[in-house]
Amino acid sequence: MSALPEKRHIPDRLGTSLTRLLSSWEVLLLGVAIAIFIANAFASPYFLNAWNLSDATFNFTEKAMIAFAMALLIISGEIDLSVAAIIALASTAMGAAAQAGIDTPGLVAIGITVGLLCGAFNGLLVAGLGLPSIVVTIGTMSLFRGISYIVLGDQAYGNYPESFAFFGQGYVFWVISFEFALFIVCAIAFAILLHATSFGRRIYAIGNNQFAARFSGIPVERVKFILFLLTGLMSGIAAVCLTSRLGSTRPSIAQGWELEIVTMVVLGGVSILGGSGTIGGVVIAAFVMGLVTFGLGLLNVPGIVMSIFIGLLLIVTISLPIIFKRLKSGKKA
Amino acid sequence: MNTAVQTPIREPAPPAPLLEMRGISKSFPGVRALDQVDIKLYPGTVTALIGENGAGKSTLVKILTGIYQPDEGEILVDGKPVTFATAQDATNHGVTAIHQETVLFDELSVAENIYLGHAPKTRFGLVDWKALNARSLALLHSLETTVDVRAKLKELSIAQRHLVAIARALSVDARIVIMDEPTAALSRKEVDDLFQIIERLKNQGKAILFISHKFDEVYEIAQNYAVFRDGRAVGHGALRDANQNEIVRLMVGRSVDKAFPKVDVALGETVLKVTNYAHLTEFRDISFELRRGEILGLYGLVGAGRSEFCQSLFGVTRPSDGSLTLEGREITIRSPRDAIAHGIVYVPEERGRHGTVAQMPIFQNISLPSLAKTSRAGFLRSAEEFALARRYAERFDLRAAALSVPVGTLSGGNQQKVVIGKWLATSPKVIILDEPTKGIDIGSKAAVHAFISELAAEGLSIIMVSSELPEILGMSDRVLVMREGLPAGLFDRQSLDAETLVRAATGNA
């Protein structure tokens, strides 16, 4: 620039460079997903089959539905570790209701209501009393699942009506399961909520600087409460799907899912410190995790190895951005 | 420079100074923080260092404690030149500082806090607990207190903690003690206790540099004084020879009106009426009326309750009593959301923490409180957001590469433009500016002052909190002075002068 113009013009955006787009986390992750897909296709002759692939989606659809809500919560700077326990409690409630002869619509309503109530309880403790969410939800994690254990002991509920099976086992079109269709609808709905509404903008503001958000007139507590409610709702919906798919309820249902869901969110590029991330990233991360577990399953890798894999994945994805940042700043210095 | 030494020709009967600074200068980019400063500290003497914010007091303290290196000049201890290249060097020469808020550790014992970082060691390199406790006890004993050295810090009262902080400063065998506004957070009783300690230190022959805004305290405890203004030492001498008005004049004396482009605005009708506003602990009995186009300056010392009062007007904290009338209607404000809805907005003192979301782009920061306007049925419309941001960016001549760069990448002055723009976008009636030019370089300061003046001319009512006298004097139509949470006077532009304000703020009628 030579002489200063009289009235400075500031462009809306700097030109979006292709290299920046290509080096974004989401694109990187998409590459990983494709690589895993190809590797799976070579590793197992059973992989490239429409019905097998359709089956593979059940590995992640229920978790991903919760992961969408969890992503919003983590972006806002909070976390909910009680999601799997909410599934257990909601499933137990539905099982007890089914035992009492309540039909499918009633069961769905009960599952979703229990999810909402649990979410409201978490939200009240965190947003209402100002307690740290990680502690609150570790507490409610034991509390919710503990209630299931007291009700069920070593028993199981299993007498679900036949029509209830649709949510976990039904197909809407050819190989597209009801769960997969619901996953797509949720992905779109959450992407719109986070990226295209003022509510979504407020979530980012809160996650980046809670004080400045409050000083800008954002009702921080109300937003957080709604996010816990939303996470409870999605946990309730996931409980309906999972219970329907399994056809039975044990108190150990969905054990350890909170870890996989948080991993999915973080793998999707959502900062564990809050303030950044996209729903698109979480969708791709869901596919990556689903493909990996399915591929390992086809290769007869035992479940315990998969859990080691999930743990490693979580640590690596949290540390990678930090390591990269160090390397970059090291180069400059 | 010729006027530099205003006061006595007769120095007090001279014992050799324990510490002397000669011709010390220190510059930072754009600012000459200290300019050829001399100061002498004598054994058994308390020297008060007096000056406004930004006069160079804290730079001096940092040079004395080895944190900054002077650009020129020399420091002599016992008449021998020394260099304080590190904080350790300063400590080795017996210089120690007690800061406003010494960091102490709740979970550690009193003795551990006192000797943290330089605990006596056994010959195996482990902490020598016996020596640690014994020395701590001796140290506290010399301050004539009986605190259990094994007690955890969290079990102590505030006053006792303060003693521990002092003991910590003295634990390095100090001969020169710097106290940087030690009374800022203390009650009168605690101040009395502190003064007894200072008296004792004095009798032990230590040289003490006592930094304070409060004249009554200075007169009570100090024998000598040194006045700094704009980085220069403008006067020094013995307090018993000095007239207080003289010192105030030295401290503030400069022509203030030329740099501040306050335009005369015809004041309109009353917009905001505050009646007996009170908070349980921070302030009470605050009443005033604010008219259209008026700039009300809010002056006082740090800790006088000005920010707390403003934040309660903005709904961040709740008042315990009092009422608000906006354009003739009584209103209640429970949250910043309420305040914004009524047209009262607040530009906070801590820009980075409260004012902006540093990681978010400029346009998103500007639209944040106006999302209801820039979105339709809850859906964002980025064209509207950019248009809104552009309007204020151009108006304030914002310097940025694009409206989508994060606010955190801008300079302090430009960040302040974003914050003010964000609030103007809500079409407010009353705008509260809390230290609007704090941390802003001199060039941008003038720009900020110019548009504050412009806003008043457009009919906005402004409350401006500032600790800088020239800013208050130059910009305000009226000034409300607060002292220790209470109103200490409301002055018209006609009757405004620096000495009146300082006297009201420091409680020296």
Side-chain angles (χ1 to χ4, degrees), chain B residues 341-379:
Chain B
H342 286 299
I344 299 175
V345 300
Y346 176 65
V347 176
E349 178 180 1
E350 293 184 60
R351 215 159 22 244
R353 192 171 152 80
H354 296 145
T356 61
V357 183
Q359 301 87 339
M360 283 171 55
I362 294 168
F363 78 96
Q364 293 188 2
N365 266 283
I366 290 183
S367 66
L368 200 56
S370 312
L371 282 175
K373 263 194 278 183
T374 58
S375 59
R376 185 181 287 149
F379 286 92

Short mmCIF file of all heavy atoms in Angstrom, two decimals, chain B residues 341-379:
data_model
loop_
_atom_site.label_atom_id
_atom_site.label_comp_id
_atom_site.label_asym_id
_atom_site.label_seq_id
_atom_site.Cartn_x
_atom_site.Cartn_y
_atom_site.Cartn_z
N ALA B 341 -31.63 -3.33 27.40
CA ALA B 341 -32.99 -3.12 26.89
C ALA B 341 -33.48 -1.71 27.22
O ALA B 341 -34.21 -1.10 26.44
CB ALA B 341 -33.94 -4.17 27.48
N HIS B 342 -33.06 -1.18 28.38
CA HIS B 342 -33.46 0.18 28.75
C HIS B 342 -32.57 1.24 28.11
O HIS B 342 -32.81 2.43 28.29
CB HIS B 342 -33.42 0.36 30.27
CG HIS B 342 -34.56 -0.31 30.98
ND1 HIS B 342 -35.87 0.02 30.76
CD2 HIS B 342 -34.59 -1.31 31.88
CE1 HIS B 342 -36.64 -0.73 31.50
NE2 HIS B 342 -35.89 -1.56 32.19
N GLY B 343 -31.51 0.81 27.45
CA GLY B 343 -30.63 1.78 26.79
C GLY B 343 -29.49 2.27 27.66
O GLY B 343 -28.96 3.35 27.44
N ILE B 344 -29.12 1.47 28.68
CA ILE B 344 -27.95 1.82 29.50
C ILE B 344 -26.86 0.80 29.18
O ILE B 344 -27.07 -0.41 29.34
CB ILE B 344 -28.27 1.77 31.00
CG1 ILE B 344 -29.38 2.78 31.32
CG2 ILE B 344 -27.03 2.05 31.83
CD1 ILE B 344 -29.86 2.72 32.74
N VAL B 345 -25.71 1.25 28.69
CA VAL B 345 -24.64 0.31 28.34
C VAL B 345 -23.35 0.70 29.05
O VAL B 345 -23.19 1.83 29.51
CB VAL B 345 -24.41 0.23 26.82
CG1 VAL B 345 -25.67 -0.23 26.12
CG2 VAL B 345 -23.93 1.56 26.27
N TYR B 346 -22.42 -0.25 29.10
CA TYR B 346 -21.23 -0.11 29.94
C TYR B 346 -19.99 -0.57 29.18
O TYR B 346 -19.93 -1.70 28.72
CB TYR B 346 -21.45 -0.97 31.19
CG TYR B 346 -20.28 -1.04 32.14
CD1 TYR B 346 -19.84 0.09 32.81
CD2 TYR B 346 -19.65 -2.25 32.39
CE1 TYR B 346 -18.78 0.01 33.70
CE2 TYR B 346 -18.59 -2.33 33.28
CZ TYR B 346 -18.16 -1.20 33.94
OH TYR B 346 -17.11 -1.27 34.81
N VAL B 347 -19.04 0.33 29.02
CA VAL B 347 -17.76 -0.02 28.42
C VAL B 347 -16.80 -0.29 29.58
O VAL B 347 -16.41 0.62 30.28
CB VAL B 347 -17.22 1.14 27.55
CG1 VAL B 347 -15.84 0.81 27.00
CG2 VAL B 347 -18.19 1.42 26.41
N PRO B 348 -16.48 -1.57 29.82
CA PRO B 348 -15.78 -1.92 31.05
C PRO B 348 -14.31 -1.52 31.04
O PRO B 348 -13.72 -1.27 30.00
CB PRO B 348 -15.92 -3.44 31.11
CG PRO B 348 -16.12 -3.87 29.72
CD PRO B 348 -16.78 -2.74 28.99
N GLU B 349 -13.76 -1.48 32.26
CA GLU B 349 -12.36 -1.12 32.42
C GLU B 349 -11.46 -2.22 31.86
O GLU B 349 -10.49 -1.94 31.18
CB GLU B 349 -12.08 -0.90 33.91
CG GLU B 349 -10.63 -0.58 34.20
CD GLU B 349 -10.38 -0.36 35.69
OE1 GLU B 349 -11.33 -0.47 36.47
OE2 GLU B 349 -9.23 -0.07 36.04
N GLU B 350 -11.82 -3.47 32.16
CA GLU B 350 -10.98 -4.57 31.70
C GLU B 350 -11.48 -5.04 30.34
O GLU B 350 -12.32 -5.91 30.23
CB GLU B 350 -11.02 -5.73 32.69
CG GLU B 350 -10.37 -5.37 33.99
CD GLU B 350 -10.34 -6.57 34.93
OE1 GLU B 350 -9.75 -7.59 34.57
OE2 GLU B 350 -10.94 -6.48 36.00
N ARG B 351 -10.92 -4.40 29.31
CA ARG B 351 -11.37 -4.64 27.95
C ARG B 351 -11.26 -6.10 27.55
O ARG B 351 -12.18 -6.70 27.02
CB ARG B 351 -10.51 -3.80 27.01
CG ARG B 351 -11.21 -3.27 25.85
CD ARG B 351 -10.52 -2.09 25.23
NE ARG B 351 -9.10 -1.97 25.52
CZ ARG B 351 -8.56 -0.98 26.19
NH1 ARG B 351 -9.32 -0.01 26.63
NH2 ARG B 351 -7.27 -0.93 26.41
N GLY B 352 -10.08 -6.69 27.81
CA GLY B 352 -9.84 -8.06 27.37
C GLY B 352 -10.74 -9.05 28.08
O GLY B 352 -11.18 -10.04 27.51
N ARG B 353 -11.03 -8.78 29.35
CA ARG B 353 -11.77 -9.75 30.14
C ARG B 353 -13.28 -9.57 30.02
O ARG B 353 -14.02 -10.53 29.87
CB ARG B 353 -11.35 -9.55 31.60
CG ARG B 353 -11.76 -10.62 32.55
CD ARG B 353 -11.05 -10.34 33.88
NE ARG B 353 -11.81 -10.84 35.00
CZ ARG B 353 -11.82 -12.11 35.38
NH1 ARG B 353 -11.14 -12.99 34.70
NH2 ARG B 353 -12.54 -12.49 36.41
N HIS B 354 -13.72 -8.31 30.04
CA HIS B 354 -15.16 -8.06 30.06
C HIS B 354 -15.70 -7.45 28.78
O HIS B 354 -16.89 -7.50 28.52
CB HIS B 354 -15.51 -7.11 31.22
CG HIS B 354 -15.21 -7.69 32.56
ND1 HIS B 354 -14.76 -6.94 33.61
CD2 HIS B 354 -15.29 -8.96 33.01
CE1 HIS B 354 -14.58 -7.72 34.66
NE2 HIS B 354 -14.88 -8.95 34.32
N GLY B 355 -14.82 -6.81 28.00
CA GLY B 355 -15.32 -6.00 26.89
C GLY B 355 -15.49 -6.76 25.59
O GLY B 355 -16.47 -6.58 24.89
N THR B 356 -14.50 -7.60 25.26
CA THR B 356 -14.56 -8.26 23.96
C THR B 356 -14.38 -9.76 24.14
O THR B 356 -13.87 -10.23 25.13
CB THR B 356 -13.41 -7.80 23.04
OG1 THR B 356 -12.17 -8.13 23.67
CG2 THR B 356 -13.48 -6.31 22.76
N VAL B 357 -14.83 -10.49 23.10
CA VAL B 357 -14.49 -11.90 23.01
C VAL B 357 -13.32 -11.95 22.03
O VAL B 357 -13.51 -11.89 20.81
CB VAL B 357 -15.67 -12.74 22.51
CG1 VAL B 357 -15.31 -14.22 22.51
CG2 VAL B 357 -16.89 -12.49 23.39
N ALA B 358 -12.09 -12.02 22.57
CA ALA B 358 -10.89 -11.79 21.76
C ALA B 358 -10.78 -12.75 20.57
O ALA B 358 -10.28 -12.37 19.52
CB ALA B 358 -9.65 -11.92 22.65
N GLN B 359 -11.26 -13.97 20.74
CA GLN B 359 -11.10 -14.96 19.68
C GLN B 359 -12.10 -14.78 18.55
O GLN B 359 -11.96 -15.35 17.48
CB GLN B 359 -11.26 -16.39 20.24
CG GLN B 359 -10.28 -16.76 21.34
CD GLN B 359 -10.77 -16.34 22.72
OE1 GLN B 359 -11.63 -15.47 22.86
NE2 GLN B 359 -10.22 -16.95 23.75
N MET B 360 -13.16 -14.03 18.79
CA MET B 360 -14.20 -13.90 17.77
C MET B 360 -13.92 -12.70 16.86
O MET B 360 -13.32 -11.73 17.27
CB MET B 360 -15.58 -13.82 18.44
CG MET B 360 -16.04 -15.20 18.89
SD MET B 360 -17.52 -15.29 19.90
CE MET B 360 -18.72 -14.45 18.96
N PRO B 361 -14.40 -12.78 15.61
CA PRO B 361 -14.13 -11.71 14.65
C PRO B 361 -14.73 -10.38 15.08
O PRO B 361 -15.65 -10.34 15.91
CB PRO B 361 -14.82 -12.19 13.38
CG PRO B 361 -15.13 -13.60 13.57
CD PRO B 361 -15.16 -13.88 15.02
N ILE B 362 -14.23 -9.32 14.50
CA ILE B 362 -14.70 -7.98 14.80
C ILE B 362 -16.21 -7.87 14.61
O ILE B 362 -16.93 -7.42 15.49
CB ILE B 362 -14.00 -6.95 13.89
CG1 ILE B 362 -12.50 -6.90 14.20
CG2 ILE B 362 -14.61 -5.57 14.06
CD1 ILE B 362 -11.70 -6.13 13.17
N PHE B 363 -16.70 -8.34 13.44
CA PHE B 363 -18.12 -8.12 13.15
C PHE B 363 -19.01 -8.89 14.13
O PHE B 363 -20.08 -8.42 14.50
CB PHE B 363 -18.45 -8.47 11.69
CG PHE B 363 -18.59 -9.93 11.38
CD1 PHE B 363 -19.83 -10.55 11.36
CD2 PHE B 363 -17.47 -10.70 11.08
CE1 PHE B 363 -19.96 -11.90 11.06
CE2 PHE B 363 -17.59 -12.05 10.79
CZ PHE B 363 -18.83 -12.66 10.78
N GLN B 364 -18.55 -10.05 14.60
CA GLN B 364 -19.35 -10.81 15.54
C GLN B 364 -19.34 -10.16 16.92
O GLN B 364 -20.32 -10.25 17.67
CB GLN B 364 -18.86 -12.25 15.63
CG GLN B 364 -19.07 -13.02 14.34
CD GLN B 364 -18.76 -14.50 14.48
OE1 GLN B 364 -18.41 -14.99 15.53
NE2 GLN B 364 -18.88 -15.22 13.37
N ASN B 365 -18.24 -9.50 17.27
CA ASN B 365 -18.21 -8.77 18.53
C ASN B 365 -19.14 -7.58 18.51
O ASN B 365 -19.84 -7.30 19.48
CB ASN B 365 -16.78 -8.30 18.84
CG ASN B 365 -16.02 -9.28 19.71
OD1 ASN B 365 -16.24 -9.35 20.91
ND2 ASN B 365 -15.18 -10.07 19.08
N ILE B 366 -19.14 -6.88 17.39
CA ILE B 366 -19.99 -5.69 17.30
C ILE B 366 -21.46 -6.06 17.33
O ILE B 366 -22.28 -5.41 17.95
CB ILE B 366 -19.62 -4.86 16.05
CG1 ILE B 366 -18.24 -4.22 16.27
CG2 ILE B 366 -20.68 -3.78 15.78
CD1 ILE B 366 -17.77 -3.33 15.15
N SER B 367 -21.80 -7.19 16.68
CA SER B 367 -23.23 -7.55 16.61
C SER B 367 -23.72 -8.29 17.85
O SER B 367 -24.92 -8.48 18.02
CB SER B 367 -23.48 -8.40 15.36
OG SER B 367 -22.82 -9.63 15.48
N LEU B 368 -22.78 -8.69 18.74
CA LEU B 368 -23.18 -9.58 19.85
C LEU B 368 -24.35 -9.06 20.69
O LEU B 368 -25.30 -9.81 20.93
CB LEU B 368 -21.95 -9.86 20.72
CG LEU B 368 -22.03 -11.09 21.63
CD1 LEU B 368 -22.33 -12.35 20.84
CD2 LEU B 368 -20.72 -11.27 22.39
N PRO B 369 -24.35 -7.79 21.13
CA PRO B 369 -25.53 -7.35 21.90
C PRO B 369 -26.71 -6.98 21.01
O PRO B 369 -27.79 -6.71 21.52
CB PRO B 369 -25.03 -6.12 22.66
CG PRO B 369 -23.66 -5.83 22.17
CD PRO B 369 -23.32 -6.75 21.07
N SER B 370 -26.51 -6.94 19.70
CA SER B 370 -27.58 -6.51 18.79
C SER B 370 -28.11 -7.67 17.94
O SER B 370 -28.71 -7.44 16.90
CB SER B 370 -27.06 -5.43 17.83
OG SER B 370 -26.38 -4.44 18.53
N LEU B 371 -27.86 -8.91 18.37
CA LEU B 371 -28.23 -10.05 17.54
C LEU B 371 -29.72 -10.07 17.20
O LEU B 371 -30.12 -10.51 16.14
CB LEU B 371 -27.82 -11.36 18.21
CG LEU B 371 -26.32 -11.70 18.08
CD1 LEU B 371 -25.98 -12.95 18.88
CD2 LEU B 371 -25.95 -11.91 16.62
N ALA B 372 -30.52 -9.56 18.13
CA ALA B 372 -31.96 -9.55 17.87
C ALA B 372 -32.26 -8.69 16.64
O ALA B 372 -33.18 -8.98 15.87
CB ALA B 372 -32.71 -9.02 19.08
N LYS B 373 -31.43 -7.63 16.45
CA LYS B 373 -31.66 -6.73 15.32
C LYS B 373 -31.11 -7.29 14.02
O LYS B 373 -31.68 -7.10 12.96
CB LYS B 373 -30.99 -5.37 15.60
CG LYS B 373 -31.93 -4.34 16.17
CD LYS B 373 -31.33 -2.96 16.10
CE LYS B 373 -30.38 -2.73 17.27
NZ LYS B 373 -29.81 -1.39 17.30
N THR B 374 -29.95 -7.94 14.11
CA THR B 374 -29.30 -8.40 12.88
C THR B 374 -29.79 -9.77 12.45
O THR B 374 -29.41 -10.26 11.39
CB THR B 374 -27.77 -8.45 13.03
OG1 THR B 374 -27.46 -9.31 14.13
CG2 THR B 374 -27.20 -7.08 13.29
N SER B 375 -30.61 -10.42 13.26
CA SER B 375 -31.10 -11.73 12.84
C SER B 375 -32.61 -11.65 12.62
O SER B 375 -33.28 -10.72 13.06
CB SER B 375 -30.77 -12.78 13.90
OG SER B 375 -31.36 -12.42 15.13
N ARG B 376 -33.13 -12.65 11.88
CA ARG B 376 -34.57 -12.69 11.65
C ARG B 376 -35.08 -14.02 12.16
O ARG B 376 -34.57 -15.07 11.77
CB ARG B 376 -34.88 -12.53 10.17
CG ARG B 376 -36.37 -12.43 9.90
CD ARG B 376 -36.65 -12.31 8.42
NE ARG B 376 -36.28 -11.00 7.89
CZ ARG B 376 -35.86 -10.81 6.64
NH1 ARG B 376 -35.74 -11.82 5.82
NH2 ARG B 376 -35.57 -9.60 6.22
N ALA B 377 -36.03 -13.98 13.08
CA ALA B 377 -36.60 -15.17 13.69
C ALA B 377 -35.51 -16.07 14.26
O ALA B 377 -35.58 -17.29 14.17
CB ALA B 377 -37.46 -15.94 12.68
N GLY B 378 -34.47 -15.45 14.80
CA GLY B 378 -33.41 -16.23 15.42
C GLY B 378 -32.33 -16.68 14.46
O GLY B 378 -31.31 -17.21 14.89
N PHE B 379 -32.53 -16.48 13.14
CA PHE B 379 -31.51 -16.89 12.18
C PHE B 379 -30.60 -15.71 11.86
O PHE B 379 -31.04 -14.60 11.61
CB PHE B 379 -32.16 -17.42 10.90
CG PHE B 379 -32.75 -18.79 11.08
CD1 PHE B 379 -34.09 -18.94 11.44
CD2 PHE B 379 -31.97 -19.92 10.92
CE1 PHE B 379 -34.64 -20.19 11.65
CE2 PHE B 379 -32.51 -21.18 11.12
CZ PHE B 379 -33.85 -21.32 11.48
#
